[in-house]
């Protein structure tokens, strides 16, 4: 895992995606945004490095969520990915706590990426 873990953020709501992106970046993560699971999988198929964590807040049936996770984990870049699924309402502390449990060695405020480190992916 690199100094700044790569987090694949899958969220269809642009406002919530931006909020989650900021919270993850505050924890020292490099964040790749995807508006849906298809965009996330397209990124994972071409990204050459490991995806350390996937954070989802998917508003579709659980079987679609399971298909996304199975597909992500079948790819070389996502095979060791940990996954956090944000459910319903959440607060900053619960998200930060979940990220720290998933990536204990990589997330701390002092490792925050620089302004230009933001990674954004909007499909192919």
């Amino acid at each position: 895992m690199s100094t700044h873990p790569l987090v694949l953020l899958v969220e269809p709501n642009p406002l919530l995606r931006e909020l989650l992106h900021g919270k993850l970046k505050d924890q020292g993560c490099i964040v790749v945004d995807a508006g849906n699971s298809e965009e996330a999988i397209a990124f994972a198929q071409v990204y050459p490095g490991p995806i350390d964590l996937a954070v989802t807040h998917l508003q579709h049936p659980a079987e679609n969520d399971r298909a996304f996770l199975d597909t992500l984990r079948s790819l070389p870049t996502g095979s060791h990915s940990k996954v956090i699924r944000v459910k319903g309402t959440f607060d900053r502390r619960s998200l930060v706590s979940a990220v720290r449990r998933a990536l204990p060695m990589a997330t701390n405020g002092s490792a925050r990426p620089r302004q230009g480190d933001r990674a954004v992916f909007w499909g192919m």
Side-chain angles (χ1 to χ4, degrees):
M1 188 180 321
S2 69
T3 304
H4 301 292
L6 182 78
V7 175
L8 180 56
L9 172 61
V10 185
E11 170 52 51
N13 180 315
L15 297 175
L16 185 55
R17 186 171 54 239
E18 187 64 30
L19 173 69
L20 291 170
H21 182 106
K23 300 301 182 198
L24 291 165
K25 187 173 177 182
D26 286 346
Q27 293 304 302
C29 301
I30 301 295
V31 184
V32 175
D33 295 334
N36 57 49
S37 57
E38 291 81 17
E39 287 181 4
I41 294 300
F43 170 79
Q45 289 173 329
V46 298
Y47 182 70
I51 296 168
D52 300 303
L53 178 66
V55 175
T56 68
H57 188 264
L58 302 174
Q59 299 296 321
H60 53 69
E63 61 272 7
N64 291 344
D65 199 17
R66 172 55 51 200
F68 163 68
L69 297 177
D70 289 345
T71 302
L72 175 64
R73 289 185 172 146
S74 73
L75 300 171
T77 59
S79 60
H80 299 291
S81 296
K82 295 180 181 181
V83 177
I84 295 173
R85 185 159 194 252
V86 179
K87 297 178 182 178
T89 59
F90 68 95
D91 61 30
R92 180 186 181 279
R93 280 185 286 214
S94 61
L95 177 64
V96 168
S97 176
V99 170
R100 285 185 177 163
R101 280 192 309 274
L103 303 170
M105 302 302 292
T107 55
N108 64 46
S110 64
R112 185 176 178 174
R114 295 181 308 274
Q115 183 67 25
D117 286 345
R118 178 176 178 155
V120 179
F121 179 77
W122 293 111
M124 299 186 108

